[in-house]
Amino acid sequence: MATKVFIPRVESLANSGLDEIPPEYVRLESERDDRLGDAIEEEKKSDEGPQIPTIDIKGLDSDNEAVRKRCVEHLLDAAVNWGVMHIVGHGIPAELIDKLREVGTRFFDLPVEEKEKYANDQPSGMIQGYGSKLANSASGRLEWMDYFFHLMFPENQTDLSIWPHYPSDYVEVTKEFGKELRVMATKIFTLLSLGLGLPAEKLETEAGGMENILFQMKINYYPKCPQPNLALGVEAHTDVSHLTFIFHNNIPGLQVYYDGKWVTAKNVSDSIIVHIGDSLEILSNGLFKSVLHRGLVNKEKVRISWTIFAEPHKDNVLLRPLPELVSDASPPKFGPRTFAQHVRQKLFKIKDDESSPPAAAAADAAAK
C-alpha cells in the first residue's frame, strides 16, 4: 500500500512562533516585485491608480431598456479590459453570505488535528478535502495557505461524506448558498452573452448549461506571515474555469495584473468578486480576458477567502471559439478542446493524445 505523503500545514508553521519563513516558501527573485508586500499595507497604497471596476447587476431586471443596456455595457467593458470586477446587486442575501463565512471560519477554528480527519490525498487523485498545496509548479515553491476543497453544486453530483461535519449547519448553509450562486452565475452569463450580441442564453448553454457547469468551492486559509514581502498565499496564475466567484473575511490580499502593474483589490461592501477564466476566454475567442492574479499575505491578521470555480464538465463540453465570434477578420485564436485537455496542456505541457496524472482537471482547481 502506498504511503500517504505528509504535507506540513501552514497554520502549524505560523503558530510555532517562527520569525523567518522556511526557504521552500520564499518566492523566487523574479517574483519579488515592488508590489509584493504586506497585503494590508498594499491595500492602503492602492488608493492611487486604477481600481477594479464595481458593477451593479440589478439593472438586468429593470423595466427600463436604457438601464438594462448600461448594465450590459458596463459588465462587457470590465470583462474585456480587466477580466475581473466587484459585483453588487447580485441578489444573494447578505445574511446567507455571513452564514457561509461563519461556518467556514468555525471549521478552520478547529485544531489542526481535527481538520486532519478531512485530509485529502493529492498524489492519489483524492483532491477534495482539507489540504495544503504541493510544490508542483515551475517555481518549486510552496504557498502560504491551507484550504478545504469540495464540489458544491449541482447537488446530485456532490459527495456530502467529504464535507465538514462541524459545524452542524455547514451542509445546510453551503447547499443554500450554492443554489443562490447558481442563479447569480446565470445573470453573469446572460449579461456577457448580450454584450457579445448573442441570445441571452447562448453563452451559458455553450458553457455547459445547468448540469455540465460544476461549482467547486475552495475555502482558503492564510495564516499570519512573519515575512509577507517574501511569500505568496497564491502564486500568479489564471483560472481554468469559466467564471470564478470570490468573497472573504474583509482582509485584503487579492492582486490582479492590469496594464503592466499589480493592482490590489479594495474591500467593496456587499460585493462578490468575479474573475473571467480561461474557458470563457476561449468561448469568446479572446474578447474576454482571463485575468492574471495572485494572493498576498500579511503579518497581523488571518485572511480567509471563499473561492468558487464555475467549471465545465471535464469531458462533456467542447471548448472552442463560438462560430458567431469568428470571421476572416477575427480568426479562431484557440483550437477545440475539452476542459480536461485544456488543463493537461496548461499544467503539464503535454499534447492531447498523451496521458496525464489522475484527476488533473480537479487538481488544478484545488491547486489554485
Side-chain angles (χ1 to χ4, degrees), residues 6-225:
F6 172 74
I7 305 171
R9 302 306 177 201
V10 179
E11 181 182 1
S12 297
L13 286 174
N15 291 340
S16 68
L18 77 176
D19 295 320
E20 297 182 356
I21 61 175
E24 58 267 29
Y25 292 91
V26 176
R27 307 312 300 187
L28 301 176
E29 287 282 355
S30 59
E31 298 175 279
R32 292 187 234 163
D33 53 80
D34 61 352
R35 298 310 301 270
L36 177 61
D38 187 291
I40 295 174
E41 297 304 316
E42 289 298 326
E43 191 213 17
K44 294 176 183 177
K45 297 177 187 176
S46 68
D47 288 336
E48 299 180 0
Q51 302 286 327
I52 295 172
T54 298
I55 313 294
D56 188 341
I57 65 169
K58 69 176 180 289
L60 175 64
D61 301 319
S62 173
D63 294 330
N64 187 315
E65 183 178 353
V67 172
R68 294 196 303 272
K69 183 178 179 182
R70 282 198 300 272
C71 186
V72 169
E73 290 173 347
H74 291 166
L75 192 68
L76 178 68
D77 182 72
V80 168
N81 293 305
W82 280 83
V84 60
M85 60 286 295
H86 294 281
I87 298 295
V88 296
H90 44 69
I92 301 180
E95 297 82 3
L96 180 58
I97 295 175
D98 287 342
K99 286 180 180 178
L100 193 71
R101 285 192 181 106
E102 179 186 353
V103 295
T105 301
R106 287 174 65 193
F107 171 79
F108 271 98
D109 283 344
L110 289 171
V112 170
E113 294 75 15
E114 286 296 311
K115 294 193 284 281
E116 289 291 355
K117 296 176 181 179
Y118 299 90
N120 61 19
D121 187 11
Q122 296 173 59
S124 74
M126 190 184 80
I127 49 80
Q128 295 194 73
Y130 174 62
S132 306
K133 189 181 177 184
L134 297 173
N136 59 356
S137 65
S139 72
R141 296 300 194 264
L142 294 173
E143 296 173 331
W144 196 260
M145 177 257 290
D146 302 321
Y147 64 83
F148 198 101
F149 175 75
H150 66 77
L151 179 65
M152 170 192 275
F153 191 89
E155 283 189 25
N156 62 357
Q157 299 183 48
T158 59
D159 182 355
L160 297 183
S161 69
I162 296 170
W163 293 25
H165 303 150
Y166 178 88
S168 60
D169 54 347
Y170 180 93
V171 171
E172 177 187 356
V173 170
T174 303
K175 278 185 174 183
E176 184 61 28
F177 180 82
K179 293 174 185 176
E180 293 283 347
L181 186 66
R182 188 65 187 82
V183 174
M184 176 185 170
T186 291
K187 293 179 182 179
I188 300 296
F189 279 120
T190 297
L191 287 164
L192 292 175
S193 196
L194 293 172
L196 293 173
L198 302 173
E201 71 282 354
K202 177 68 174 180
L203 202 54
E204 182 171 9
T205 299
E206 294 290 339
M210 182 62 76
E211 286 301 314
N212 285 309
I213 299 178
L214 309 181
F215 287 70
Q216 312 262 18
M217 184 170 76
K218 183 163 172 265
I219 307 174
N220 298 318
Y221 182 90
Y222 306 95
K224 291 181 283 187
C225 179

Side-chain angles (χ1 to χ4, degrees), residues 83 189 207 213-216 237-246 274-283 289-291 293 307-313 319 339 342-343 346 361 364-365 368:
F189 279 120
I213 299 178
L214 309 181
F215 287 70
Q216 312 262 18
H237 68 286
T238 62
D239 293 336
V240 293
S241 57
H242 286 306
L243 297 168
T244 302
F245 302 85
I246 303 172
V274 176
H275 289 176
I276 302 294
D278 297 350
S279 296
L280 205 53
E281 182 179 60
I282 292 170
L283 292 182
K289 178 182 179 181
S290 183
V291 63
H293 57 285
T307 301
I308 301 95
F309 305 93
E311 300 177 349
H313 185 281
L319 298 174
F339 183 62
H342 176 67
V343 172
K346 183 171 183 176
D364 182 70
K368 299 307 182 188

